[in-house]
Amino acid sequence: MGETETKTVEKNSVIELDLSNVQTDYAGKFNFEEFDYYETKHDGLSDVIKAINAAKTDDKIKGISILNNESSLGLAQIKALRKALEDFKKSGKFVMAYANAYSQKEYYLNSVANTIYLNPIGEMDFKGLSSEIMFFKDFQEKYGIKMEVIRHGKYKSAVEPFLENKMSDANREQISTLLYSVWNSILADISKSRGIPTTQLNQIADGLLARTPEMAKANKLVDKIAYEDVYHNDIRKILKVDADEDYNTISILDYAENNATTTKDYSDKDKIAIIYAQGEIKNGEGDVNEIGEGSMRRALKEARTDENIKAIVLRIDSPGGNALTSELIWREIELTKKVKPIVVSMGNYAASGGYYIACNANKIFAEENTITGSIGVFGILPNFTQLTTKMGINVEQVNTNKNAADYSVFRPLDENFRAFTLEGVEKIYNTFVNHVASGRKMTYAQVDAIGQGRVWSGSDAVKIGLVDKIGGLDDALKYAASLAKIKDYKTQNFPEYNKNFHDLLGKLPFMQSKENFIKAEVGEENYKVIEQIRKVQAKKGIQAAMPFEITIQ
């Protein structure tokens, strides 16, 4: 059994909102059966948001400090966090922010603060959104490494980088629409917090009119230009602490651990299960960073059969992945929905396979800047025939029957094999579209028209019927409670991941991942290229995955 010491919260304390180690919504429960040991982690974004909500009424907490914040959180997660901080401010407690430099994403979060500080020689990144995609067609022709693509959907641009050396009009259209929708959502939130019209914010972005501390202050994006010691002195004044004394602080993760492990009133018998589906969809057990049918199907069965669980919220943050696994999880949701209501809450992504497992829920909630849709299917088969020919290698086969041989990466793609694979792709696409049509009460033609692999923002997805309402996890929980006709309830998190001896060793410092070593050796940018190729090679079976990998800064 895992045990964690909790840190005492002192009187007159300030929470330091350090998010550098917050990776996912759900931090996970892990069961190491061989050792009779389990571990529950409380460093997920859901734990952070619960902690902020608790701090609102904790008389020991006087405010929150966002200091030189950096995180790997996505935009929908930041939006949820901003909402919690906005609510925290209603208590009359302060939220203050300081940075030596603001990236655009971090400024989006920090803009919620009552007072925003920027270092006198710092800088601010405020310029709008951009997406960059690598194309490999010429690379393939030069080196003889070809990716054979079998797809359905004109917008299925996950495979476009292997077919073209530039972006198609269809792909450019969907990315442009998506970026503008997400950007407008960000501007609306900043405009509300800072009292600056969105038209003016766009002018600031167009002219890079916040690139220096003085320009950022003149355009009202920050309040004070000062060094960090001044920032801390101002907090001391609010707390009425002497200038030569340290004020009491507690990190958000320590406070979250404290909040999660402190004894609470568990008199409420009724429960709502929150099942977290995070990461790429793959076969197998799954983990906190990837969705597997093992842990997901087990979680749904447990929630379905527990009499005290009255409803389920499925929290999805996934760009999709393996189509068969998506179908297996969809089926488990279909069985569960007959017993108790299921409401979906979408995070940063719920696209392709991520939408596949969402489409049959009773209700779907998404943030405005969620990336969703991407109803499309494809297969990728790496082929090294040209490469081996250049190297003077020839591969021959002997078969008893016409289609006896499996696909070989060392021989040209057989047209019969291509036809059979396309048949499988079409079958899964038709199944996908029919599932969506049934779940969303639309016709096949209606779904197909907005499908074809195209991605949508949450706000646009509401307009076309893929999503019901804009809202976060709390909104989904409230709606689930209303469907279950319960008022007072507690939540229970799923899944619990089964682990073995090798997984436990991997948690030790001397067994840390080779990825960090490779990054250090080849550099971050080169590693991205390697990772992109590795991901494609690792995809087995027909995929229902995001049409492109988008990084928004």
Side-chain angles (χ1 to χ4, degrees), residues 325-471:
T325 303
S326 302
E327 170 71 12
L328 294 174
I329 296 170
W330 174 90
R331 177 60 181 169
E332 207 65 54
I333 292 168
E334 191 73 1
L335 294 173
T336 305
K337 191 175 71 168
K338 293 176 182 177
V339 179
K340 51 193 69 172
I342 298 183
V343 177
V344 161
S345 168
M346 294 179 171
N348 299 315
Y349 300 94
S352 210
Y355 190 79
Y356 199 122
I357 65 174
C359 68
N360 58 337
N362 296 93
K363 208 78 168 179
I364 299 176
F365 287 78
E367 299 285 10
E368 289 176 341
N369 49 13
T370 294
I371 296 174
T372 188
S374 187
I375 300 165
V377 181
F378 68 91
I380 287 184
L381 302 168
N383 192 282
F384 304 138
T385 305
Q386 293 177 28
L387 175 64
T388 52
T389 300
K390 287 179 181 180
M391 296 171 67
I393 300 171
N394 184 40
V395 177
E396 297 286 346
Q397 287 181 345
V398 179
N399 305 314
T400 61
N401 294 79
K402 186 178 179 180
N403 297 299
D406 286 329
Y407 172 72
S408 170
V409 297
F410 301 112
R411 290 179 60 82
L413 177 62
D414 180 82
E415 286 308 309
N416 274 350
F417 189 90
R418 180 187 289 276
F420 295 145
T421 306
L422 180 58
E423 186 180 277
V425 166
E426 294 289 352
K427 181 180 180 182
I428 293 174
Y429 180 77
N430 288 333
T431 302
F432 192 171
V433 172
N434 279 317
H435 284 339
V436 176
S438 174
R440 302 302 300 162
K441 296 179 174 56
M442 300 165 76
T443 66
Y444 183 101
Q446 285 174 322
V447 177
D448 190 42
I450 57 175
Q452 302 291 330
R454 179 160 182 170
V455 293
W456 307 87
S457 68
S459 53
D460 285 338
V462 171
K463 297 173 188 174
I464 60 174
L466 292 179
V467 168
D468 293 298
K469 289 187 176 182
I470 295 299

Side-chain angles (χ1 to χ4, degrees), residues 104-167:
Q104 189 162 251
K105 187 181 75 169
E106 302 308 343
Y107 179 72
Y108 176 41
L109 173 63
N110 283 254
S111 64
V112 76
N114 299 97
T115 311
I116 302 173
Y117 292 69
L118 179 58
N119 187 291
I121 56 169
E123 57 186 28
M124 177 176 289
D125 193 20
F126 192 79
K127 59 189 179 186
L129 303 182
S130 178
S131 177
E132 190 174 78
I133 297 174
M134 288 186 285
F135 290 82
F136 297 94
K137 183 183 179 184
D138 294 344
F139 172 87
Q140 293 175 106
E141 291 174 356
K142 182 177 180 180
Y143 292 102
I145 301 171
K146 186 180 181 184
M147 294 296 177
E148 294 285 1
V149 172
I150 302 166
R151 63 173 172 169
H152 181 111
K154 64 178 180 178
Y155 282 99
K156 200 34 124 169
S157 45
V159 293
E160 186 177 277
F162 301 102
L163 299 174
E164 308 291 342
N165 57 14
K166 64 179 182 178
M167 194 180 294

Side-chain angles (χ1 to χ4, degrees), residues 237-531:
K237 290 173 186 175
I238 296 171
L239 299 175
K240 297 179 181 176
V241 172
D242 291 342
D244 59 347
E245 290 184 17
D246 291 333
Y247 59 90
N248 295 326
T249 63
I250 184 167
S251 76
I252 186 61
L253 293 187
D254 282 338
Y255 191 77
E257 182 73 33
N258 187 297
N259 181 62
T261 55
T262 301
T263 304
K264 297 181 178 67
D265 180 14
Y266 287 112
S267 57
D268 295 333
K269 186 179 179 183
D270 293 335
K271 295 187 288 187
I272 295 179
I274 306 176
I275 301 178
Y276 291 87
Q278 303 176 151
E280 193 173 342
I281 299 173
K282 301 181 180 180
N283 55 17
E285 168 65 12
D287 201 344
V288 70
N289 290 308
E290 64 182 50
I291 302 165
E293 75 266 19
S295 55
M296 284 298 296
R297 293 173 74 185
R298 198 166 58 246
L300 284 159
K301 285 178 183 176
E302 189 174 339
R304 183 166 75 229
T305 56
D306 187 332
E307 293 181 358
N308 293 327
I309 292 176
K310 307 301 181 185
I312 296 165
V313 170
L314 182 62
R315 173 69 173 184
I316 301 173
D317 193 352
S318 173
N322 186 280
L324 175 58
T325 303
S326 302
E327 170 71 12
L328 294 174
I329 296 170
W330 174 90
R331 177 60 181 169
E332 207 65 54
I333 292 168
E334 191 73 1
L335 294 173
T336 305
K337 191 175 71 168
K338 293 176 182 177
V339 179
K340 51 193 69 172
I342 298 183
V343 177
V344 161
S345 168
M346 294 179 171
N348 299 315
Y349 300 94
S352 210
Y355 190 79
Y356 199 122
I357 65 174
C359 68
N360 58 337
N362 296 93
K363 208 78 168 179
I364 299 176
F365 287 78
E367 299 285 10
E368 289 176 341
N369 49 13
T370 294
I371 296 174
T372 188
S374 187
I375 300 165
V377 181
F378 68 91
I380 287 184
L381 302 168
N383 192 282
F384 304 138
T385 305
Q386 293 177 28
L387 175 64
T388 52
T389 300
K390 287 179 181 180
M391 296 171 67
I393 300 171
N394 184 40
V395 177
E396 297 286 346
Q397 287 181 345
V398 179
N399 305 314
T400 61
N401 294 79
K402 186 178 179 180
N403 297 299
D406 286 329
Y407 172 72
S408 170
V409 297
F410 301 112
R411 290 179 60 82
L413 177 62
D414 180 82
E415 286 308 309
N416 274 350
F417 189 90
R418 180 187 289 276
F420 295 145
T421 306
L422 180 58
E423 186 180 277
V425 166
E426 294 289 352
K427 181 180 180 182
I428 293 174
Y429 180 77
N430 288 333
T431 302
F432 192 171
V433 172
N434 279 317
H435 284 339
V436 176
S438 174
R440 302 302 300 162
K441 296 179 174 56
M442 300 165 76
T443 66
Y444 183 101
Q446 285 174 322
V447 177
D448 190 42
I450 57 175
Q452 302 291 330
R454 179 160 182 170
V455 293
W456 307 87
S457 68
S459 53
D460 285 338
V462 171
K463 297 173 188 174
I464 60 174
L466 292 179
V467 168
D468 293 298
K469 289 187 176 182
I470 295 299
L473 182 58
D474 284 345
D475 298 299
L477 283 166
K478 288 173 186 174
Y479 190 82
S482 71
L483 289 180
K485 298 178 181 177
I486 56 175
K487 288 186 178 180
D488 299 315
Y489 60 88
K490 60 187 177 185
T491 60
Q492 183 174 346
N493 291 337
F494 294 90
E496 180 179 287
Y497 306 102
N498 288 337
K499 295 293 179 182
N500 56 32
F501 180 68
H502 181 267
D503 297 317
L504 185 62
L505 278 180
K507 296 168 70 67
L508 301 175
F510 60 85
M511 292 289 285
Q512 290 306 303
S513 71
K514 62 182 180 295
E515 282 81 3
N516 289 333
F517 174 76
I518 296 170
K519 280 182 188 177
E521 290 299 310
V522 304
E524 191 77 30
E525 294 303 316
N526 291 330
Y527 180 78
K528 286 180 182 177
V529 177
I530 295 169
E531 185 69 2

